[in-house]
């Protein structure tokens, strides 16, 4: 059977977190210096290390079957692909920024201004949507220095912590899009490779799902089991185990991370006691 090929960024944060996800998905392989291809020992898979900007085209052309890449690159390049999963890491945003001393009330302040960016297609679409006429200067890097050297009046660039903008005397004024790493698939996949992809994605889901959930154990009076069970919606139903103390049971279930504190408050108000929260390593549903 021919091996699957997955492309990931060859260095940086996206590389590190992609490698971690693949290893947590049970794949065994050895990393080495200056490798461009890694062979997985226990799964029919090869990992290709590419420039982030090259990955979408490799996927569209069917050179690789899968890719892990930032959404911002996909939106900019507008290639054909299928998004299988959002992966929850490498989060950032594409934003417009201007010099700190400049006044700004709304996006109309950018009319007829010069904007430097490495994302001309995304920026152009955003300006068109907002009926703004501006001059776009396309740069391949070091966008944030453009206002300081007189090349541009504003920049459109990726922002994570905002430190780089701050250090170059800039401030964010508009967020164009929010981005994170995604798993994409070529549209040129045959049925044999699709089965292998399904197996790999199943493993990834088992790794990704717990990152959004917490395992919860709590004690509750038996006459309040039904009420408390209605507050724990993640799994089909909680596990109920009798305690040594008559009239009480222990309930085990899962809480969604985004609803964590509101659910805890509801559980306490419904009579739950001795609530324990435990991280989850893997979750197979």
């Amino acid at each position: 059977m021919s091996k699957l090929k997955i492309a990931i960024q060859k260095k940086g944060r996206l590389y590190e977190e992609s490698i971690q996800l693949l290893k947590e998905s049970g794949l065994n392989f050895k990393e080495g210096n200056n490798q461009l291809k890694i062979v997985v020992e226990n799964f029919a898979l090869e990992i290709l290390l590419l420039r982030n900007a090259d990955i979408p085209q490799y996927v569209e052309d069917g050179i690789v079957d899968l890719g892990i890449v930032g959404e911002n690159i996909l939106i900019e390049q507008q290639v054909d692909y299928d998004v299988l999963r959002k992966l929850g890491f490498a989060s950032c945003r594409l934003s417009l920024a201007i010099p700190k001393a400049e006044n700004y009330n709304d996006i109309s302040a950018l009319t007829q201004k010069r904007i430097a960016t490495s994302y001309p297609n995304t920026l152009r679409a955003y300006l068109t949507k907002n009926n703004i006429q501006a001059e776009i200067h396309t740069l391949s890097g070091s966008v944030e220095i453009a206002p300081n050297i007189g090349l541009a009046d504003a920049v459109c660039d990726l922002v994570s912590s905002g430190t780089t903008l701050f250090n170059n005397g800039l401030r964010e004024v508009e967020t164009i899009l929010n981005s994170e790493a995604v798993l994409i698939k070529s549209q040129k996949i045959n049925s044999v490779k699709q089965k292998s992809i399904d197996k790999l994605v199943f493993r990834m889901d088992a790794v990704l799902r717990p990152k959004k959930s917490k395992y919860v154990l709590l004690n509750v009076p038996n006459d309040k089991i039904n009420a408390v069970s209605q507050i724990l919606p993640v799994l089909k139903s909680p596990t109920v185990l009798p305690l040594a103390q008559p009239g009480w049971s222990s309930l085990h279930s899962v809480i969604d991370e985004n609803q964590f504190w509101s659910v805890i408050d509801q559980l306490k108000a419904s009579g739950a006691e001795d609530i324990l929260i435990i991280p989850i390593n893997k979750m197979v549903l």
Side-chain angles (χ1 to χ4, degrees):
M1 182 180 67
S2 60
K3 290 184 177 181
L4 284 178
K5 292 183 175 65
I6 184 170
I8 67 173
Q9 184 171 303
K10 63 181 179 180
K11 61 181 179 179
R13 178 185 168 196
L14 190 51
Y15 164 81
E16 294 170 356
E17 297 195 72
S18 298
I19 287 292
Q20 181 180 348
L21 172 60
L22 294 173
K23 287 185 173 181
E24 289 180 353
S25 298
L27 304 182
N28 296 335
F29 52 86
K30 296 179 181 178
E31 302 170 68
N33 293 330
N34 300 318
Q35 281 182 291
L36 296 179
K37 182 174 73 173
I38 300 172
V39 177
V40 176
E41 299 168 359
N42 62 340
F43 198 93
L45 178 70
E46 292 178 346
I47 304 167
L48 302 185
L49 307 180
L50 305 174
R51 290 177 62 252
N52 197 36
D54 292 337
I55 293 174
Q57 194 64 57
Y58 273 66
V59 172
E60 182 181 45
D61 292 344
I63 305 302
V64 297
D65 307 301
L66 301 168
I68 295 178
V69 66
E71 286 178 288
N72 54 293
I73 296 293
L74 297 176
I75 293 170
E76 175 64 23
Q77 295 192 8
Q78 302 173 348
V79 298
D80 292 327
Y81 57 86
D82 294 327
V83 174
L84 297 183
R85 294 292 184 276
K86 291 193 173 188
L87 300 177
F89 57 78
S91 297
C92 60
R93 57 195 179 275
L94 184 65
S95 295
L96 285 160
I98 63 173
K100 294 177 184 177
E102 295 288 335
N103 293 323
Y104 187 90
N105 293 319
D106 55 46
I107 194 171
S108 64
L110 296 176
T111 300
Q112 302 304 323
K113 298 294 186 180
R114 300 167 300 163
I115 308 174
T117 187
S118 298
Y119 298 89
N121 294 329
T122 309
L123 173 58
R124 187 176 294 107
Y126 185 78
L127 294 176
T128 300
K129 178 182 176 182
N130 287 278
N131 298 313
I132 301 298
Q133 296 289 328
E135 184 179 335
I136 298 175
H137 287 254
T138 303
L139 303 178
S140 59
S142 302
V143 171
E144 65 278 352
I145 69 169
N148 291 329
I149 62 176
L151 180 63
D153 305 300
V155 302
C156 172
D157 203 11
L158 289 181
V159 180
S160 181
S161 66
T163 301
T164 301
L165 291 181
F166 179 83
N167 290 340
N168 284 275
L170 303 173
R171 63 186 176 96
E172 283 183 80
V173 292
E174 299 282 344
T175 297
I176 293 180
L177 63 88
N178 291 295
S179 174
E180 65 181 272
V182 293
L183 177 69
I184 61 173
K185 183 186 76 169
S186 171
Q187 295 182 346
K188 300 179 180 180
I189 296 295
N190 60 42
S191 59
V192 175
K193 283 194 171 183
Q194 184 59 53
K195 290 181 180 179
S196 294
I197 290 173
D198 292 342
K199 290 179 181 179
L200 181 60
V201 172
F202 177 81
R203 293 188 183 196
M204 288 183 174
D205 283 344
V207 174
L208 295 170
R209 198 175 290 113
K211 298 182 185 299
K212 301 178 181 179
S213 306
K214 291 287 186 291
Y215 192 75
V216 58
L217 298 84
L218 51 96
N219 296 333
V220 62
N222 288 343
D223 60 354
K224 297 183 178 180
I225 289 176
N226 287 336
V228 170
S229 296
Q230 298 302 313
I231 304 170
L232 300 168
V234 174
L235 299 180
K236 292 180 180 178
S237 64
T239 299
V240 180
L241 300 173
L243 296 179
Q245 181 177 345
W248 283 76
S249 294
S250 174
L251 271 63
H252 299 198
S253 191
V254 172
I255 297 178
D256 189 294
E257 179 72 30
N258 294 330
Q259 302 174 349
F260 178 80
W261 287 111
S262 63
V263 171
I264 292 297
D265 290 341
Q266 293 178 62
L267 290 173
K268 288 177 63 65
S270 298
E273 299 181 4
D274 306 323
I275 302 173
L276 300 179
I277 308 299
I278 301 173
I280 305 170
N281 183 256
K282 299 284 192 302
M283 187 187 299
V284 180
L285 298 180

